[in-house]
Amino acid sequence: EQAISLLFPTSLTNQVNMRTDKPRLSAFFEVIMFDLLKNALQAEGITRIGLLSIDECEIINERLLPSNAKTVIMFCIPYRSTHDKTTDGISEYARVYDYHRYCSELFERIIPFMHHETSHDFFGFCDHSPINEKLAAAKCGLGIIGKNSLFIDDVYGSFVFLGTIICDISIEHSTVQIKNCINCNKCAVSCPTK
């Protein structure tokens, strides 16, 4: 009880009886933990964040899946650097800092912080992930999977990299219906390979 009151403000801990209200305490901790992680990501400029249970994910690499995985936190990292059409044929994503390095550095900052604050396990992934990240991001309600098979974020379009944090805490969340492609054909019309 004392450790919890040191971690969380008194005004919040007074809302839950620490000795007798274990289910509410658990739900309370989940909300606080997610807010802590969300604030850490937002401090890094990442605002497009969603949650889902590991049970809702398509597992594509069982070897990488942490044995205690319960919740997946998906996030979008926008990368569009310019609207300049004269890019000499170099893709937008190739003109920004390597997102594998970016995510590695991000995870080196955030994961130890989250473990220290919560005493729970967190695992970071980008690209080389145990789950289908595109499908998970769509299931979180962050966007859709377009006709071009790319994930299309509701805010940044297809100009995002996907990152994943898997943790050993079950975090209650709303189930989101996957949004369908609206068949606007913008991806097909602007595809350079057509």
Side-chain angles (χ1 to χ4, degrees), residues 4-174:
I4 290 173
S5 61
L6 290 174
L7 180 61
F8 305 123
T10 307
S11 61
L12 294 174
T13 56
N14 287 341
Q15 295 174 17
V16 179
N17 183 323
M18 300 296 178
R19 296 180 201 275
T20 61
D21 205 352
K22 298 277 189 223
R24 279 191 60 210
L25 178 58
S26 177
F28 175 74
F29 178 75
E30 291 169 12
V31 170
I32 295 297
M33 192 286 310
F34 180 61
D35 282 347
L36 192 63
L37 180 57
K38 190 166 64 170
N39 290 339
L41 287 169
Q42 287 175 341
E44 298 281 347
I46 298 169
T47 58
R48 303 284 298 140
I49 306 163
L51 282 175
L52 72 159
S53 164
I54 194 69
D55 297 331
E56 298 173 76
C57 295
E58 177 187 347
I59 308 299
I60 58 173
N61 192 335
E62 192 80 37
R63 292 185 338 249
L64 295 176
L65 185 66
S67 60
N68 55 351
K70 293 185 180 167
T71 300
V72 173
I73 299 97
M74 292 299 306
F75 56 93
C76 298
I77 306 163
Y79 67 81
R80 186 154 203 178
S81 60
T82 180
H83 291 281
D84 184 6
K85 301 286 186 200
T86 60
T87 60
D88 297 328
I90 299 172
S91 178
E92 288 267 354
Y93 83 89
R95 293 186 282 137
V96 296
Y97 188 66
D98 178 37
Y99 70 100
H100 299 98
R101 286 185 181 168
Y102 172 82
C103 283
S104 178
E105 293 165 3
L106 174 74
F107 296 145
E108 286 173 9
R109 290 188 299 274
I110 289 181
I111 290 176
F113 166 76
M114 289 302 298
H115 180 74
H116 177 264
E117 293 295 319
T118 66
S119 298
H120 282 274
D121 292 330
F122 296 83
F123 307 88
F125 302 92
C126 79
D127 267 359
H128 192 63
S129 175
I131 64 168
N132 179 330
E133 292 177 312
K134 285 192 303 188
L135 186 57
K139 284 184 175 184
C140 286
L142 296 175
I144 64 168
I145 298 174
K147 281 183 172 181
N148 58 0
S149 81
L150 295 176
F151 174 76
I152 302 171
D153 177 80
D154 289 343
V155 176
Y156 300 106
S158 62
F159 295 95
V160 294
F161 300 121
L162 297 175
T164 305
I165 295 176
I166 297 176
C167 67
D168 66 346
I169 306 168
S170 293
I171 303 173
E172 199 170 304
H173 62 282
S174 302

